[in-house]
Amino acid sequence: MADLTLDTARKILDAAFAKAGELKLKPLVVTILDTRGVLKLAAAQDGTSLMRAEIAHGKAYGALAMGMGSRALFQRAQEQAYFIDAVNTIAKGALVPVPGGVLIMDGSTLLGAVGVSGDTSDNDEACAVAGIQAAGLKPNAG
């Protein structure tokens, strides 16, 4: 698979929401971007709070922009706060460096990223990982 298809993105989305249901999480937004950072698919469960779509997008976008899952960005922000702040300034505030942004890998080939927001960052990440794995792909959460 060279590109992230809409069918694959739908599988990721459906499985991420299924995982959220299984874990009885708060309502989530799932955003899936291709390697160019272009929106492939996004959906919000009923009852999501304000700004969740922007946060989910920022988690996925940050992962793509920096080439690492947002858990690694979170760690880097703790160790090099000025660097992440500078990068986020350059990106016009588009990065959200907390867990929940996961790169989608097909072997060693990057296909895109998933961002999830609505529950704790760890739970958001678990749903992104579950969605990517359900599509037969490899997640890189950082």
Side-chain angles (χ1 to χ4, degrees), residues 73-97:
L73 289 177
F74 176 70
Q75 183 64 37
R76 188 138 186 213
Q78 292 177 4
E79 296 168 359
Q80 296 178 312
Y82 291 113
F83 175 75
I84 294 298
D85 184 55
V87 170
N88 208 6
T89 298
I90 293 166
K92 298 179 175 75
L95 279 67
V96 178

Tab-separated table of all heavy atoms in Angstrom, residues 73-97:
chain	number	residue	atom	x	y	z
A	73	LEU	N	6.667	13.748	21.109
A	73	LEU	CA	6.637	15.208	21.147
A	73	LEU	C	6.403	15.707	22.568
A	73	LEU	O	7.001	16.693	22.992
A	73	LEU	CB	5.544	15.757	20.234
A	73	LEU	CG	5.778	15.634	18.746
A	73	LEU	CD1	4.563	16.169	17.989
A	73	LEU	CD2	7.033	16.366	18.333
A	74	PHE	N	5.530	15.025	23.294
A	74	PHE	CA	5.257	15.364	24.691
A	74	PHE	C	6.535	15.256	25.521
A	74	PHE	O	6.867	16.153	26.305
A	74	PHE	CB	4.166	14.437	25.237
A	74	PHE	CG	3.855	14.627	26.685
A	74	PHE	CD1	3.211	15.778	27.120
A	74	PHE	CD2	4.179	13.663	27.607
A	74	PHE	CE1	2.902	15.950	28.464
A	74	PHE	CE2	3.883	13.825	28.952
A	74	PHE	CZ	3.238	14.980	29.378
A	75	GLN	N	7.256	14.155	25.322
A	75	GLN	CA	8.515	13.957	26.048
A	75	GLN	C	9.524	15.050	25.680
A	75	GLN	O	10.190	15.615	26.537
A	75	GLN	CB	9.095	12.572	25.740
A	75	GLN	CG	10.372	12.246	26.495
A	75	GLN	CD	10.170	12.173	28.000
A	75	GLN	OE1	9.139	11.705	28.466
A	75	GLN	NE2	11.140	12.650	28.753
A	76	ARG	N	9.589	15.347	24.392
A	76	ARG	CA	10.526	16.376	23.943
A	76	ARG	C	10.146	17.749	24.501
A	76	ARG	O	11.009	18.553	24.848
A	76	ARG	CB	10.566	16.409	22.418
A	76	ARG	CG	11.648	17.303	21.888
A	76	ARG	CD	12.353	16.671	20.737
A	76	ARG	NE	13.474	17.482	20.326
A	76	ARG	CZ	13.875	17.582	19.080
A	76	ARG	NH1	13.275	16.908	18.127
A	76	ARG	NH2	14.909	18.331	18.783
A	77	ALA	N	8.839	18.009	24.595
A	77	ALA	CA	8.382	19.281	25.155
A	77	ALA	C	8.791	19.418	26.613
A	77	ALA	O	9.094	20.526	27.075
A	77	ALA	CB	6.870	19.411	25.009
A	78	GLN	N	8.826	18.306	27.320
A	78	GLN	CA	9.260	18.344	28.717
A	78	GLN	C	10.764	18.596	28.819
A	78	GLN	O	11.220	19.286	29.734
A	78	GLN	CB	8.894	17.044	29.420
A	78	GLN	CG	7.401	16.873	29.597
A	78	GLN	CD	7.039	15.548	30.233
A	78	GLN	OE1	7.886	14.756	30.621
A	78	GLN	NE2	5.751	15.302	30.343
A	79	GLU	N	11.506	18.029	27.889
A	79	GLU	CA	12.970	18.149	27.920
A	79	GLU	C	13.490	19.410	27.235
A	79	GLU	O	14.528	19.942	27.625
A	79	GLU	CB	13.601	16.923	27.263
A	79	GLU	CG	13.307	15.628	28.005
A	79	GLU	CD	13.671	14.387	27.214
A	79	GLU	OE1	14.150	14.503	26.058
A	79	GLU	OE2	13.453	13.284	27.744
A	80	GLN	N	12.785	19.845	26.184
A	80	GLN	CA	13.218	20.998	25.391
A	80	GLN	C	12.014	21.896	25.087
A	80	GLN	O	11.626	22.070	23.938
A	80	GLN	CB	13.861	20.536	24.090
A	80	GLN	CG	15.129	19.728	24.268
A	80	GLN	CD	15.663	19.263	22.931
A	80	GLN	OE1	14.931	18.727	22.103
A	80	GLN	NE2	16.958	19.472	22.716
A	81	ALA	N	11.458	22.454	26.141
A	81	ALA	CA	10.236	23.252	26.001
A	81	ALA	C	10.413	24.397	25.008
A	81	ALA	O	9.505	24.687	24.215
A	81	ALA	CB	9.806	23.782	27.357
A	82	TYR	N	11.575	25.057	25.034
A	82	TYR	CA	11.784	26.189	24.133
A	82	TYR	C	11.784	25.751	22.670
A	82	TYR	O	11.287	26.467	21.804
A	82	TYR	CB	13.093	26.917	24.460
A	82	TYR	CG	13.035	27.647	25.781
A	82	TYR	CD1	13.823	27.245	26.846
A	82	TYR	CD2	12.179	28.729	25.959
A	82	TYR	CE1	13.769	27.915	28.065
A	82	TYR	CE2	12.120	29.398	27.169
A	82	TYR	CZ	12.908	28.992	28.216
A	82	TYR	OH	12.848	29.642	29.409
A	83	PHE	N	12.335	24.577	22.389
A	83	PHE	CA	12.353	24.074	21.012
A	83	PHE	C	10.935	23.804	20.515
A	83	PHE	O	10.554	24.257	19.431
A	83	PHE	CB	13.205	22.806	20.905
A	83	PHE	CG	13.156	22.191	19.531
A	83	PHE	CD1	13.839	22.764	18.477
A	83	PHE	CD2	12.401	21.054	19.296
A	83	PHE	CE1	13.776	22.213	17.205
A	83	PHE	CE2	12.325	20.497	18.029
A	83	PHE	CZ	13.016	21.079	16.977
A	84	ILE	N	10.147	23.061	21.290
A	84	ILE	CA	8.781	22.739	20.870
A	84	ILE	C	7.955	24.019	20.758
A	84	ILE	O	7.156	24.178	19.827
A	84	ILE	CB	8.131	21.719	21.819
A	84	ILE	CG1	8.861	20.369	21.736
A	84	ILE	CG2	6.642	21.541	21.513
A	84	ILE	CD1	8.833	19.691	20.368
A	85	ASP	N	8.153	24.955	21.669
A	85	ASP	CA	7.450	26.230	21.592
A	85	ASP	C	7.826	26.973	20.309
A	85	ASP	O	6.959	27.538	19.630
A	85	ASP	CB	7.760	27.087	22.822
A	85	ASP	CG	6.970	28.376	22.818
A	85	ASP	OD1	5.720	28.321	22.721
A	85	ASP	OD2	7.605	29.446	22.900
A	86	ALA	N	9.104	26.968	19.961
A	86	ALA	CA	9.552	27.639	18.734
A	86	ALA	C	8.961	26.972	17.497
A	86	ALA	O	8.482	27.657	16.575
A	86	ALA	CB	11.078	27.641	18.665
A	87	VAL	N	8.978	25.651	17.471
A	87	VAL	CA	8.399	24.925	16.329
A	87	VAL	C	6.909	25.215	16.231
A	87	VAL	O	6.375	25.448	15.143
A	87	VAL	CB	8.671	23.410	16.438
A	87	VAL	CG1	7.883	22.633	15.400
A	87	VAL	CG2	10.157	23.126	16.301
A	88	ASN	N	6.225	25.230	17.361
A	88	ASN	CA	4.789	25.501	17.352
A	88	ASN	C	4.504	26.939	16.912
A	88	ASN	O	3.496	27.194	16.248
A	88	ASN	CB	4.176	25.207	18.720
A	88	ASN	CG	2.716	24.807	18.607
A	88	ASN	OD1	2.179	24.630	17.520
A	88	ASN	ND2	2.072	24.667	19.740
A	89	THR	N	5.383	27.851	17.229
A	89	THR	CA	5.236	29.228	16.756
A	89	THR	C	5.381	29.269	15.235
A	89	THR	O	4.569	29.900	14.551
A	89	THR	CB	6.280	30.147	17.424
A	89	THR	OG1	6.045	30.144	18.836
A	89	THR	CG2	6.194	31.562	16.889
A	90	ILE	N	6.383	28.578	14.720
A	90	ILE	CA	6.572	28.507	13.266
A	90	ILE	C	5.350	27.879	12.597
A	90	ILE	O	4.922	28.303	11.530
A	90	ILE	CB	7.850	27.706	12.924
A	90	ILE	CG1	9.092	28.470	13.387
A	90	ILE	CG2	7.929	27.402	11.425
A	90	ILE	CD1	10.355	27.631	13.408
A	91	ALA	N	4.766	26.881	13.257
A	91	ALA	CA	3.596	26.173	12.721
A	91	ALA	C	2.290	26.907	13.014
A	91	ALA	O	1.212	26.359	12.805
A	91	ALA	CB	3.541	24.760	13.297
A	92	LYS	N	2.391	28.136	13.519
A	92	LYS	CA	1.216	28.960	13.826
A	92	LYS	C	0.278	28.285	14.828
A	92	LYS	O	-0.940	28.344	14.698
A	92	LYS	CB	0.488	29.346	12.550
A	92	LYS	CG	1.328	30.185	11.618
A	92	LYS	CD	0.591	30.536	10.358
A	92	LYS	CE	1.374	31.475	9.490
A	92	LYS	NZ	2.465	30.968	8.772
A	93	GLY	N	0.885	27.598	15.810
A	93	GLY	CA	0.113	26.979	16.881
A	93	GLY	C	-0.591	25.684	16.507
A	93	GLY	O	-1.456	25.215	17.240
A	94	ALA	N	-0.233	25.084	15.374
A	94	ALA	CA	-0.950	23.909	14.872
A	94	ALA	C	-0.567	22.597	15.554
A	94	ALA	O	-1.249	21.600	15.365
A	94	ALA	CB	-0.740	23.776	13.367
A	95	LEU	N	0.513	22.565	16.326
A	95	LEU	CA	0.947	21.324	16.982
A	95	LEU	C	0.335	21.214	18.378
A	95	LEU	O	0.298	22.190	19.112
A	95	LEU	CB	2.471	21.300	17.153
A	95	LEU	CG	3.327	20.904	15.969
A	95	LEU	CD1	3.261	21.923	14.871
A	95	LEU	CD2	4.754	20.713	16.427
A	96	VAL	N	-0.121	20.018	18.712
A	96	VAL	CA	-0.590	19.727	20.063
A	96	VAL	C	0.283	18.579	20.572
A	96	VAL	O	0.027	17.407	20.270
A	96	VAL	CB	-2.084	19.355	20.092
A	96	VAL	CG1	-2.531	19.020	21.506
A	96	VAL	CG2	-2.926	20.502	19.526
A	97	PRO	N	1.348	18.899	21.325
A	97	PRO	CA	2.346	17.891	21.711
A	97	PRO	C	1.993	17.107	22.967
A	97	PRO	O	2.670	17.182	23.985
A	97	PRO	CB	3.614	18.730	21.902
A	97	PRO	CG	3.106	20.051	22.392
A	97	PRO	CD	1.788	20.251	21.691
